Amino acid sequence: MPAVNYRLEGEVAVLTIANPPVNALSLAVREGLLQGLQRAEQERAVRAVVVTGADGTFAAGADINEVASGLVLQSPITREVQAQMEAGTKPIVAAIEGVALGGGFELALACHFRVAAASARVGLPEVKLGLIPGAGGTQRFTRLAGPQAALEAITSGAHLPAARALELGLVDELAEPPLAGALALARRAAAEGRPLRIASDLSERIRDVSPELFAAFRRRLEPKARGQLAPWRIVDSIEAACTLPKEAAFAREREYFIECRDSPQRQALVHVFFAEREARKIPGLGAQVSALPIRRAAVIGAGTMGAGIAMTFANAGIPVSVLELSGEALERGLSLVRSNYDGSVARGSLTRERAERALALIQGWTGYQALGTADIVIEAVFEDLKVKQQVFARLDQEAAPHAILATNTSTLDIDAIAASTSRPERVVGTHFFSPANVMRLLENVRGKHTSPQTIATVMALARTLGKIAVLAGNCDGFIGNRMLMFYGAQAEFLLEEGATPEQIDRVMEGFGFAMGPLAVRDLAGNDVGLAIRKGRRLPPDERWSPILERLVGEGRLGQKAGKGFYRYEGRTRIPDAEVLALIEGVSRDLGIQRRQIPDEEILDRLLHPLVNEGARVVEEGIAIRASDVDVVYVNGYGFPAYKGGPMYWGRQAGLARVVQTMRRLAPTHGARWRPAPLLERLAASGKGWND
Ligand code: COA
């Protein structure tokens, strides 16, 4: 099977890209396209060309493996194919089904016309891989749709629905099937001798663009793209399209592309891309294990978490029952759901119609009678083992025999919960992150008895719900929260030793976390943090800090109380001398001489323990692979994706340095802070996680 199939439909040559699974533009595809275009140009019987993709998709872009190799691509490169298109004398129409992304969309943009299915999505998502489009994408998009639309779409990497692309002038027609529409358009264009529309020659949308447009956009981008390279280079490149002659602007895009391609951020983001896909693969779960279809779900508890989980199902089109004990609590939960949807509609991120459709799928109940029809029941009640065990015993009686019983616990023992049922093989953890309808991570947790089918079902469910799933083993805190204990504790130790909350948060936000650890504590509630800590039995040799307890004692519960590690005016945090006095008091009581702490020490002492505990998690088999830990941290804990996740970052920073930090900490912090054996072995051998 050739990578590009050439066939004639009357007078139209149809070039079909066939490179499973996503028709990426590999060398064979580029060669096939170039040869097909040349042949069509030469054959006298051919009057027009249609370019399309096999198996319901146009093309998902450059072959990421090829780009990631960092090697100079072998000729013909995509730009040579595009040059052939633009030099041709016959109309070329792209027929877009499925997705046209990245290089795939750049290819379509170099065609003279584009016809798409209404369900198709197009876009330039390179930014998500730390790249900028390198085959004229920023240039042609800007010339077709104008700089404002280009800035928004390309810096966010958005997948645009076909209707929006039509509105923006990126697509000329919608048609079902698009191939038929494209053939018709190709024939019309040839018959009418319609002028060929070359996007790179259009200039109307790029004339007289005010420099203020770029200045304003850069100001808006700052909070989102701080520390990153690619988004800024995209803006520069779009600005070049509007200010430089065509050739110079295209050359500028190319320079920026190479700069991004060769950057550590690009490497880290490509690591995350493949890590997210690898995380779906569960060793030992053969193809013969099929997931249970989930047609209907139930959620127990309509608190913030339960409401968010219910919305997640409804958004994916799955009917969901929400159960609460009292009508009042139920009503509170349902009104939370409604106000969340209203907010999305008001912000313009959801249409009223879609919100209503989702709302209609959510049904509230104050009894267990709704359970019998659910294929999965997700418990999201108070985080207390006894309470959960009672709930599970009841669920076991009320739910259909085939139903999976899942718990949203973030730390508790899955086996202990499963033991209160007669179906431990159908009990599993599904740890959603708050807000559940927004956060992309789903940490699935398998207990001792969880069956392969149950695991396959919750892994597949994650995809249906638009989540990224990682499978974790059962231990206190699973992957994410287990590691977080060390990160969080270290922030408080550093306060005792001389740092201030604003210094710690500044350093971590400078590293790329959306929020520093103390700001996060204030957001989650210091009383909540304290309760979790008290619920844990720490080993007697473990260092612990009384700061949290004292803050709570003084009513400094966090944002909700207007004061915590900071003082709050609305959501704005303001350093507070009272907190500093409290912290200094703790240092005094503990006999700690406060000192100036260098920023670098803060970074090392927060991140190295994260890597160290990550290594234990991998060694114990709690995580299947190191890259799963990265997926958890990037998608659930705000670790900057462009740094690749803690394990990837640790490897780049040097595992030997991590070992050194842990050796320094262990004598005063306790045995749990010793270097993980796996880490010591790798550091000694100079190997990485997968070597
Ligand atoms: N190059 C190479 N491989 C790619 C690829 C690309 N551009 N896009 C996807 N793949 C691979 C995936 O790694 C995966 O491989 P696996 O099955 O061995 O794990 C397979 O194709 C299917 O992709 P997946 O993401 O699992 O399927 P999906 O249906 O959820 O999503 C896409 C399909 C196209 C939307 C998604 O893969 C995507 O966004 N791809 C990247 C697009 C992009 O950034 N293009 C610009 C590249 S510079």
Side-chain angles (χ1 to χ4, degrees), residues 470-491:
V470 169
L471 185 64
N474 186 24
C475 67
D476 181 10
F478 318 129
I479 298 175
N481 282 344
R482 168 167 163 178
M483 291 165 62
L484 195 68
M485 287 180 227
F486 293 84
Y487 174 83
Q490 211 41 250

Side-chain angles (χ1 to χ4, degrees), residues 378-432:
I378 298 187
E379 163 278 314
V381 303
F382 188 62
E383 189 76 349
D384 177 281
L385 183 60
K386 289 227 167 58
V387 174
K388 293 203 191 251
Q389 283 175 324
Q390 279 165 11
V391 169
F392 269 73
R394 184 74 196 269
L395 294 181
D396 193 30
Q397 290 165 9
E398 305 286 343
H402 76 277
I404 289 176
L405 307 181
T407 168
N408 182 52
T409 180
S410 55
T411 48
L412 299 175
D413 183 355
I414 304 291
D415 294 329
I417 295 173
S420 62
T421 74
S422 64
R423 58 176 105 183
E425 74 287 354
R426 291 182 183 276
V427 175
V428 67
T430 49
H431 178 205
F432 287 83

Side-chain angles (χ1 to χ4, degrees), residues 65-78:
N65 292 300
E66 214 177 352
V67 176
S69 74
L71 300 173
V72 176
L73 292 192
Q74 238 173 299
S75 178
I77 56 176
T78 303

